[in-house]
Amino acid sequence: MSKFSFSRLGKELYTGEKSFDFVGRRMLWYAVSAVVLVAVVLGVWLQGINLGIDFTGGTRYTVTVAQADQELADDLRTAVGDTAVEAADGATVRTAGGKSIVIETKAIADGSEADNSIMEAITKTADVADDDVSRTGIGPSWGQRVAAKAGLALGIFLVGVVLFIWIYFREWKMSVAAVVALLHDVVITVGVYAIVGFEVTPATVTGFLTILGYSLYDTVVVFDKVKENTRNLSQKKQTYAAAANLAVNQTLVRSINTSIIGLLPVVAILYVSTVQLGTSSLKDISLVLFIGMAVGTYSSIFIATPLLVHLKSKEKDVVDAEKRAAARMKEADKYAAVPVFDEGMAVADEEPDELRDSEDLHEAGVSRGTSPNRSATGRGRNVPDQHREVSDSGASGRPQPKRESRSKRK
């Protein structure tokens, strides 16, 4: 057995020697995506999205310490949570560099009893003076402006995507398929964020815009190959679906390699920010990058191209190519019943020489002697059942001539 080679697989996929039917099984991929989308939408509806104080408003305490580490951050989280302040329930605590720890709570009035209780818990746990703790109030109006600007940036990005693909490929249906794949990625990423419970911060929005660009890049590469394979479709023997499926297979190895190379550093950042640093802005952006890049690769292969083929299935050129392919298949079916020799096939006994040489009798559909009835092939006639041997007739009073094969005639 030959050893598996990824490069050899890529060559075979590119030349068409091997092929995965991505386009033909598009209903399966649609069903898988539908199940995932339903699950993440239910997660958002039941659990909601954990928006950070940059979007909802709140109070941020920044503590300057000699050495900021995860152990001290955990101690501060416990101390703030143990206070009787309701706004401090579920406070977010993270390290910010090597000298600062950031504590974020819901909105607390400056100088109030709740504010004093939290300040006391912070200074006592971190063993710092009041001057080492800075307090910043973030109003909900500022968070709303951040959310509005993020939504505007997303809208501009999507419009730019549609125009770019439309101009580059001269095909609006490619724009529709690409945007659907992008929205597919956004919804799944948001749903995973809601299920996991990670906080949505401005860094998360930055990550969203990044993954949209990554997903678009992968989709454009596949679409470019689709355009190349389907150029002058009327002069080719392939259907549009077959040419598009070949394009996905030809770019499959490139997509996988690009995804792996892109995901490895993201996984490293996610591990460090989650396990070693605890809550941090790196965790927010690395999680959205990890989910988005993985889902973006999936959508460019299993959603964008199959959806494009689906949208173009009613076009005249595509329908004509399907008809030509069907006609070629129908013509080829005439030879489907011709037996093909196989090594395991039983070999029939050889016929006697007199039967082999009796071409005239064979053409006439008559068998000599008492041999079993045989079908006369090639002329569309069947040999009638033989009741007795052929013998001379005495009706004419003389021997009757016998028909011999052409090879024995004088």
Side-chain angles (χ1 to χ4, degrees), residues 57-360:
T59 304
R60 177 179 293 147
Y61 299 90
T62 303
V63 188
T64 303
V65 295
Q67 180 62 43
D69 53 26
Q70 189 58 41
E71 183 179 357
L72 180 57
D74 293 339
D75 293 340
L76 286 171
R77 183 183 296 106
T78 302
V80 172
D82 289 342
T83 61
V85 180
E86 184 177 354
D89 292 340
T92 301
V93 182
R94 68 173 186 271
T95 58
K99 300 293 183 179
S100 300
I101 296 178
V102 178
I103 303 169
E104 295 176 344
T105 67
K106 296 179 182 179
I108 299 175
D110 187 12
S112 63
E113 183 178 350
D115 181 55
N116 294 333
S117 298
I118 292 176
M119 287 289 292
E120 182 181 356
I122 292 173
T123 55
K124 183 177 180 181
T125 304
D127 192 19
V128 295
D130 291 347
D131 295 339
D132 295 326
V133 182
S134 62
R135 181 187 181 282
T136 304
I138 301 175
S141 60
W142 188 85
Q144 292 173 359
R145 287 198 299 272
V146 172
K149 290 183 180 297
L152 178 62
L154 179 60
I156 293 174
F157 178 84
L158 293 178
V159 172
V161 166
V162 173
L163 293 177
F164 168 76
I165 297 180
W166 193 353
I167 294 172
Y168 181 75
F169 292 107
R170 309 294 179 120
E171 178 61 72
W172 66 268
K173 292 181 180 179
M174 285 188 173
S175 299
V176 173
V179 170
V180 170
L182 286 175
L183 294 177
H184 168 274
D185 301 342
V186 171
V187 173
I188 291 181
T189 306
V190 171
V192 172
Y193 245 83
I195 294 173
V196 174
F198 277 25
E199 188 180 50
V200 177
T201 64
T204 307
V205 177
T206 304
F208 271 117
L209 297 177
T210 304
I211 65 168
L212 293 179
Y214 178 87
S215 177
L216 173 65
Y217 165 75
D218 211 29
T219 302
V220 167
V221 170
V222 179
F223 280 2
D224 191 56
K225 198 63 182 176
V226 172
K227 181 181 179 182
E228 178 183 337
N229 289 354
T230 56
R231 187 180 290 114
N232 299 324
L233 187 63
S234 59
Q235 301 176 8
K236 297 183 178 180
K237 295 183 178 181
Q238 279 185 317
T239 64
Y240 189 92
N245 191 74
L246 177 61
V248 179
N249 281 274
Q250 289 174 329
T251 57
L252 181 62
V253 173
R254 188 213 62 85
S255 298
I256 295 175
N257 288 338
T258 304
S259 300
I260 293 175
I261 293 173
L263 285 173
L264 285 178
V266 173
V267 170
I269 296 173
L270 181 61
Y271 172 79
V272 171
S273 60
T274 304
V275 177
Q276 297 184 353
L277 300 180
T279 304
S280 68
S281 57
L282 285 177
K283 183 181 72 173
D284 301 332
I285 193 171
S286 59
L287 178 63
V288 72
L289 286 175
F290 177 79
I291 299 171
M293 290 173 69
V295 176
T297 303
Y298 170 84
S299 66
S300 65
I301 297 173
F302 296 93
I303 300 299
T305 305
L307 180 59
L308 172 64
V309 174
H310 200 162
L311 292 174
K312 292 180 69 66
S313 60
K314 301 300 182 181
E315 293 186 3
K316 184 178 183 303
D317 293 343
V318 177
V319 173
D320 290 344
E322 294 283 350
K323 290 180 178 178
R324 288 193 298 269
R328 287 192 296 269
M329 289 295 295
K330 185 177 181 181
E331 182 180 354
D333 283 343
K334 294 190 301 184
Y335 304 98
V338 176
V340 179
F341 177 75
D342 185 82
E343 292 184 359
M345 183 182 296
V347 180
D349 294 335
E350 189 174 346
E351 292 183 337
D353 293 339
E354 61 269 22
L355 292 180
R356 246 191 349 260
D357 294 335
S358 301
E359 296 176 5
D360 294 340

